[in-house]
Amino acid sequence: MAFLPLAGLNGGVDIMRYAVIVALTMGIGATAATAPPPWMDQLVRELEWMEGALLEASYFCALAVMAPTVVDQHILAQRVVNILEGSGGAHFDPRLTGEEELPGVLPRLQALALALAEEDIPLPEREVLRFTFANVNAFLALAQELTLRGASARHLVRGAISLRQAYACLLAALGPGDEDQAYLGGIRPLLARYRPLMEPPAEAP
């Protein structure tokens, strides 16, 4: 990704360094009294949209795993592909959506990364976003590849195997609800970190 690439990682040492940065900074700023910067508002709005889109994608992916026929499996898997790629994607099928323009999670994530690259973001926050975006992008790319494999499988069982793996990747991109288990970040841990900062402070009694 263009924003905060993980180029230069030196094996496990650097990976652990980024993990420690995330762990140490995940709760910083939650009680800050200052107004949040404009980039944070855009970040939260985009993350909320991505969370909803990935929940929808995981729902269709689960249905595809349980599909009774190969045809049903292909249709449901294609709906996941549409959500991930959007209407500009190479594998988008407009027959399965009523919207002429459907934003995809992958292009929206990349557009968000490009927009944030132009912002003056403090280094600790930048490291958190670098680490998390790289992992989310990797999980979504794997989910896309596996879903396409499931959407073209000739046998129901083989398709279900690929789609189970895709489902796991979608959940990994969403991330856990418990911040203590967010070892590789995710959409939900970022929301848990930044969304409270967008709420107005409670008035003193």
Side-chain angles (χ1 to χ4, degrees), residues 84-101:
L84 292 177
E85 292 192 1
S87 53
H91 309 97
F92 181 80
D93 188 341
R95 296 173 298 176
L96 299 179
T97 177
E99 301 179 46
E100 294 182 2
E101 293 293 331

Side-chain angles (χ1 to χ4, degrees), residues 27-32 34-37 40 44 125 191-201:
I28 292 177
T31 59
T34 58
M40 195 177 294
V44 169
E125 307 296 330
L191 278 173
R193 172 179 174 78
Y194 292 111
R195 186 156 46 192
L197 301 181
M198 302 303 300
E199 299 173 356

Side-chain angles (χ1 to χ4, degrees), residues 62-139:
L63 290 180
V65 171
M66 300 181 288
T69 69
V70 171
V71 173
D72 291 325
Q73 188 175 76
H74 288 182
I75 291 173
L76 291 163
Q78 183 60 50
R79 292 184 73 99
V80 179
V81 173
N82 282 4
I83 293 170
L84 292 177
E85 292 192 1
S87 53
H91 309 97
F92 181 80
D93 188 341
R95 296 173 298 176
L96 299 179
T97 177
E99 301 179 46
E100 294 182 2
E101 293 293 331
L102 180 68
V105 179
L106 278 165
R108 284 281 284 262
L109 178 65
Q110 292 159 5
L112 176 62
L114 289 172
L116 292 178
E118 303 299 322
E119 299 289 344
D120 184 18
I121 301 176
L123 182 59
E125 307 296 330
R126 191 171 288 269
E127 298 291 4
V128 170
L129 294 172
R130 178 202 301 267
F131 182 83
T132 303
F133 277 23
N135 288 329
V136 170
N137 188 66
F139 289 134

Side-chain angles (χ1 to χ4, degrees), residues 22 26 47 50-55 58 105 109 131-133 135-140 143 166-193 195:
V22 173
M26 190 57 77
L47 290 174
M50 290 178 198
E51 180 186 33
L54 289 178
L55 286 172
S58 63
V105 179
L109 178 65
F131 182 83
T132 303
F133 277 23
N135 288 329
V136 170
N137 188 66
F139 289 134
L140 291 180
Y167 180 80
C169 290
L170 291 171
L171 293 187
L174 276 168
D178 186 350
E179 291 184 68
D180 292 336
Q181 298 176 358
Y183 307 120
L184 296 179
I187 300 299
R188 284 171 169 166
L190 283 182
L191 278 173
R193 172 179 174 78
R195 186 156 46 192

